[in-house]
Amino acid sequence: MKILRARELGLCFGVRDALDAAFRHPRPRETTIHGELVHNRVVLDRLRERGFPMVDESDREDSVSTPEVLITAHGVSDRERERLRAAGHELIDTTCPLVLRAHDVAKSLEAEGRHVVVIGRPGHVEVEGLVGDLGSYDIVAGPGDVRDFGRARLGVVCQTTTPAGRVRDTLDAIERENPAADLRFVDTVCQPTKERIDAVEELAELVEVIVVVGGTNSNNTKQLARLSESRGVPAHHVQGAEDLRAEWFDGVETVGLTAGTSTLDETVDAVERRLEQLAAGGFSASIDKPA
């Protein structure tokens, strides 16, 4: 069995920077992480081992007892930053610069008098931060959520991990349902997301099955798996090597490997080693654990 890696996969620069800031931070027990630093089980376990308290993403308005708060790579609204500072917390901000750009674009569009439409996953922590400073907005996950917004001027932005194809289809639907609106679209999908999507599309032409490595609640990892399926190639979303199942690869000659932007290099390497064991007929051998 042949194993092919996607041309682009795994950690993006924004996540690398966030991880570096967290693991170099000298006072983990005095610093609460405001949600999940990244959507990755291995990383979260290591942060807990270091002593970081964490606020659940579903209720980030909970009171924080530590003097410092670490803002995650997904970002928060300016209002939330102000709330935390007003409560006396010092902020350590690891927001991805490309997420910050999306915030700036959304606020600029609203300042132009536009109703802002965000193409993204409702309830996702990045999207919640993106709309947190807006007074007039709608969130649409895809074309099926689009309606006549009843506004003369519209501004459209995207969650940074939205697939380009979904953006195009949703934008077409917005234009179709709001034909008289003055519409301005700014593409805020990040370049690492685009590169990983392009790489999976290329990979799908070469393999019979694709293994996608990443957290179960990682939006961009799920998107990679869905993209593979949409190209007619079965995808198996795993968090680590221990999740692989031998029966997935019965009769398969070529397997593709990719990973979401919050997946550690060592996790991808461990999955690849495990696939190589299968290819060599030794899938029952012990799993290599990430260091």
Side-chain angles (χ1 to χ4, degrees), residues 220-231:
N220 72 87
T221 305
K222 291 178 181 178
Q223 302 289 7
L224 294 174
R226 292 189 190 113
L227 177 61
S228 176
E229 297 281 0
S230 75
R231 295 295 186 270

Side-chain angles (χ1 to χ4, degrees), residues 101-223:
R101 174 180 175 265
H103 281 242
D104 290 341
V105 168
K107 287 183 287 188
S108 295
L109 290 171
E110 185 174 61
E112 294 175 4
R114 299 178 186 275
H115 177 75
V116 179
V117 180
V118 178
I119 303 173
R121 197 176 92 195
H124 188 279
V125 63
E126 180 190 323
V127 174
E128 291 299 304
L130 188 58
V131 301
D133 291 320
L134 303 178
S136 177
Y137 67 87
D138 273 283
I139 302 168
V140 294
D145 296 329
V146 174
R147 58 182 175 82
D148 181 351
F149 298 111
R151 304 299 181 102
R153 308 189 78 206
L154 297 175
V156 182
V157 296
C158 315
Q159 182 178 352
T160 59
T161 54
T162 309
R166 182 177 303 171
V167 172
R168 287 192 300 270
D169 292 345
T170 306
L171 188 60
D172 287 345
I174 294 171
E175 292 174 336
R176 186 169 57 250
E177 295 295 327
N178 301 265
D182 172 8
L183 187 150
R184 183 180 171 207
F185 167 64
V186 181
D187 185 358
T188 54
V189 176
C190 71
Q191 190 61 30
T193 290
K194 293 177 180 178
E195 292 170 349
R196 282 149 184 75
I197 287 172
D198 289 345
V200 166
E201 290 179 335
E202 294 171 6
L203 194 62
E205 299 293 323
L206 305 172
V207 302
E208 298 160 77
V209 175
I210 293 180
V211 174
V212 185
V213 190
T216 56
N217 60 340
S218 165
N219 187 61
N220 72 87
T221 305
K222 291 178 181 178
Q223 302 289 7

Side-chain angles (χ1 to χ4, degrees), residues 3-191:
I3 303 158
L4 298 180
R5 278 199 182 213
R7 173 175 49 82
E8 297 285 346
L9 79 170
L11 290 180
C12 63
F13 77 90
V15 172
R16 287 189 190 277
D17 289 349
L19 294 178
D20 185 64
F23 285 108
R24 289 177 180 272
H25 187 60
R27 299 174 298 279
R29 297 185 186 280
E30 299 176 23
T31 307
T32 296
I33 298 178
H34 202 48
E36 295 185 1
L37 183 65
V38 292
H39 293 148
N40 180 293
R41 180 186 63 192
V42 174
V43 171
L44 297 180
D45 287 346
R46 291 184 184 179
L47 292 169
R48 290 188 184 97
E49 289 171 2
R50 283 208 71 207
F52 281 104
M54 298 184 193
V55 171
D56 192 283
E57 279 193 347
S58 63
D59 192 6
R60 295 202 297 181
E61 292 187 3
D62 280 354
S63 59
V64 175
S65 59
T66 59
E68 298 177 326
V69 174
L70 189 148
I71 304 300
T72 74
H74 304 102
V76 295
S77 65
D78 290 343
R79 291 174 183 171
E80 180 63 3
R81 285 187 178 85
E82 290 167 7
R83 183 186 75 83
L84 291 167
R85 289 193 179 103
H89 302 292
E90 180 180 344
L91 303 187
I92 301 162
D93 197 343
T94 70
T95 305
C96 173
L98 301 181
V99 173
L100 289 174
R101 174 180 175 265
H103 281 242
D104 290 341
V105 168
K107 287 183 287 188
S108 295
L109 290 171
E110 185 174 61
E112 294 175 4
R114 299 178 186 275
H115 177 75
V116 179
V117 180
V118 178
I119 303 173
R121 197 176 92 195
H124 188 279
V125 63
E126 180 190 323
V127 174
E128 291 299 304
L130 188 58
V131 301
D133 291 320
L134 303 178
S136 177
Y137 67 87
D138 273 283
I139 302 168
V140 294
D145 296 329
V146 174
R147 58 182 175 82
D148 181 351
F149 298 111
R151 304 299 181 102
R153 308 189 78 206
L154 297 175
V156 182
V157 296
C158 315
Q159 182 178 352
T160 59
T161 54
T162 309
R166 182 177 303 171
V167 172
R168 287 192 300 270
D169 292 345
T170 306
L171 188 60
D172 287 345
I174 294 171
E175 292 174 336
R176 186 169 57 250
E177 295 295 327
N178 301 265
D182 172 8
L183 187 150
R184 183 180 171 207
F185 167 64
V186 181
D187 185 358
T188 54
V189 176
C190 71
Q191 190 61 30

